[in-house]
Every structure is written in structure tokens, then in C-alpha cells.
Amino acid sequence: MKIGIAGGGAFGTALGVALALDGNDILLWARNADAVATMSKDRSNARLPGVVLPENMVFSAELEPLFVCDIILLATPAQTLRAFLTEHASHLNGKYLVACCKGIDLTRMTGPASTIRDLVPDAVPAMLTGPSFAADIARGLPTALTLACADDEAGAILQTALSTTSMRLYRSTDTTGAELGGALKNVMAIASGIAIGAGYGESARAALITRGFPEMQRLAQDFGAQAETLAGLSGFGDLVLTCTSEQSRNYGFGLALGRSEDFDPTTTVEGAATAQAVRQLAADRGIDMPICNVVADLTDGSLTVAAALNALLSRPLKEE
């Protein structure tokens, strides 16, 4: 099967490198023609310093080559996925479409796999998610991810096609759990970054991770997700990674908030938009999600870091 990737950022490029080094011919589409020219000529991507792009990766700023691929990895930001699918739905019907972004669409409050299913009903929607950094994948470091597809037979096909010697995929049919685990952990990563950036210490971060995980479970299970999915790679595994490493964009954004520093506005921070969506979903469904609510208030500027800490510490005492 021919594999294409939509999105020339760090993660999409890293996936392409891993798959190409395993012997697959990869087509990567990027919107920016200058970036495509640089990748083609210099065999490098500025977002992956030191990584040489394999010769069996080809690059295009035109969409036609992408549309002939059987499997398309959608490595676009979560908030632009809907527009991409809407514009090109007729060309994507019948394809295996694998979302590689983590977030909740603010337009319809849906995760990436659900967005694919809604907009391209004749495609096979799937999610590739879990604890991973682009730099690690591109360098061939061992990585384990979840490949979630409601159609288990199709999931097995994708698992075989997309697994590599360094990138091990575990199959699941719980796309709801996979997409919500991947989205919600970004909110907790922002909270963890704020705690460290504000000087509250490692113990505070540990408490946020520990109490944040049940919040993730409550919302995901209310949508029908399986508990074991949230306890796996796409939930707890990804939560631990992104809450403890400065390679995480969401954690880095939280660090900057906690330190009252500016953050690069060109860097995609999915957790900020997800926090806004979660605040609304939690209110609509009557689910208690205090950490997510505080992060939403912090990211929209309606709450200070000091007030956020006070809000969390002044909650009623209760059993664990």
C-alpha cells in the first residue's frame, strides 16, 4: 500500500522518516512550497535538526500525489483538520485516514477520528497516538504507540503497514478512548508546566498528574471510552511523558505561563484549545473537572496563576 502524509511539521516528517527507513516509499505533502523545496534539495527539515531525510521520501506542495495514496496520515493541527477534510472529502473517500493530531475540534466538539467519520463517511478512520516525541521517532529510538480503529480488520491492516523496527504499534478498537486520552493529557501537561514554572515544585506536579488522570477518565468514560484504553499508551502513557519533559510543547507553554514569560506564538499548543472545549463539555455533561477548568481560565486570561492555585487548594476536603 502506498503511504502518504499530510503535514510537513516535525511529527509528520518524523513519521515519514521512520517509515521510509523501514523500506516504505513515502510521499509527504506540505502546504508551504518553500519548505517542500528545502526538504527536497537539502534532505532536512528545520524542525528536526540533525535528521537526514531518506531518499525514498518525496515531497510535494501539490495535493494530487497525496490523493493517490491508499493510507494517508493526517499530521495537521487538530483545529485545521476539519477544514482540510471538508475541502478535500471527495478525494479522500475510500482511503485509510489516520489522524496523528491530538485535540478536540472547537467547531463541533469532536475528536480527530470522529471528525474524519463525520466528514468523509466512506473512508476508514483511525487514530495514531501515544507517548512520542518527533525527535525520538526520527532518530529511530524505540517508541510504542496506539493504533485505534473501530474496524478491527482494517486496524490490523494498518498495524502491519505502519509498524517499523523502532515504532511498535498496539491495536485498539476504542477510538473514543484514544482520541480523548491524547487530547486531555495536553491540558494536564499545561497544568504541570505551570506548577513547575511558578515554582510550586515536583510534589505539586505529581499531585496534578495523579488527580488529573481521574479527570481524564471521567470525561472519556462518559463518552463511552474503555477504562483500559485510558490506562494504556494513549492515556496514562502519554500523560506521563508530556507532563515531565520540556520537549512537550504543551508543557513548555505551561512553563512560560507559570513564569509569566512570552511563548512562541507560531508553536502549536493543542492543549490550550482543548481546555476551552473540555470546560464546555464538562459543564454540559455535569462532570467535575477542576484542573481542566483552571487551565481553561488561565489560558484565556480570566484567572491568574496565584488565583488558580488558591481555587484548587480551597476545594472541599474529601476521600481519595
Side-chain angles (χ1 to χ4, degrees):
M1 285 188 168
K2 188 169 179 58
I3 301 172
I5 299 172
F11 198 70
T13 306
L15 289 172
V17 170
L19 290 163
L21 289 175
D22 216 58
N24 299 283
D25 292 327
I26 301 298
L27 180 283
L28 187 145
W29 169 82
R31 192 181 304 275
N32 187 317
D34 291 337
V36 166
T38 298
M39 288 188 285
S40 299
K41 179 183 177 182
D42 299 340
R43 311 309 299 178
S44 66
N45 184 323
R47 298 188 180 186
L48 291 172
V51 174
V52 177
L53 306 182
E55 292 298 328
N56 54 333
M57 277 185 79
V58 297
F59 307 93
S60 175
E62 304 297 326
L63 282 162
E64 286 74 12
L66 181 70
F67 295 148
V68 303
C69 295
D70 306 292
I71 300 171
I72 300 177
L73 307 184
L74 299 167
T76 62
Q79 300 307 320
T80 66
L81 179 62
R82 175 171 291 275
F84 181 85
L85 294 173
T86 300
E87 184 176 357
H88 305 297
S90 62
H91 298 287
L92 298 171
N93 278 319
K95 308 290 185 182
Y96 292 92
L97 299 181
V98 184
C100 303
C101 50
K102 302 170 183 179
I104 297 175
D105 174 24
L106 287 171
T107 306
R108 297 292 295 274
M109 298 295 181
T110 55
S114 301
T115 301
I116 294 170
R117 185 174 59 248
D118 291 345
L119 295 177
V120 194
D122 292 331
V124 178
M127 278 286 301
L128 184 62
T129 183
S132 56
F133 288 135
D136 293 346
I137 291 174
R139 290 168 58 201
L141 299 179
T143 306
L145 299 171
T146 296
L147 188 285
C149 182
D151 182 335
D152 193 45
E153 184 176 341
I157 292 170
L158 289 169
Q159 183 183 35
T160 299
L162 300 177
S163 293
T164 74
T165 52
S166 62
M167 192 167 65
R168 182 177 177 85
L169 305 189
Y170 289 83
R171 195 168 76 251
S172 171
T173 57
D174 183 11
T175 56
T176 299
E179 63 188 358
L180 286 176
L184 293 169
K185 60 88 187 177
N186 283 333
V187 182
M188 301 309 169
I190 292 175
S192 296
I194 291 168
I196 297 299
Y200 295 145
E202 300 284 353
S203 298
R205 173 167 60 180
L208 283 169
I209 294 171
T210 305
R211 297 312 306 157
F213 184 55
E215 285 194 29
M216 294 170 55
Q217 291 176 307
R218 282 197 292 272
L219 185 67
Q221 288 182 263
D222 195 68
F223 276 90
Q226 299 167 12
E228 54 266 34
T229 304
L230 273 294
L233 291 166
S234 60
F236 185 72
D238 213 356
L239 175 69
V240 170
L241 181 69
T242 52
C243 288
T244 58
S245 173
E246 292 192 30
Q247 287 191 68
S248 164
R249 295 187 302 267
N250 292 278
Y251 179 73
F253 176 70
L255 278 176
L257 272 179
R259 294 169 177 166
S260 299
E261 297 175 351
D262 292 331
F263 188 78
D264 182 1
T266 66
T267 300
T268 300
V269 181
E270 298 284 18
T274 299
Q276 310 302 316
V278 170
R279 179 173 56 187
Q280 185 60 55
L281 288 171
D284 292 345
R285 302 173 82 94
I287 301 172
D288 185 32
M289 302 194 70
I291 298 174
C292 287
N293 289 338
V294 161
V295 171
D297 292 342
L298 281 165
T299 54
D300 70 13
S302 61
L303 195 66
T304 66
V305 172
L309 177 65
N310 184 63
L312 290 174
L313 292 181
S314 63
R315 285 171 54 80
L317 298 175
K318 61 180 183 179
E319 293 183 351
E320 187 174 26

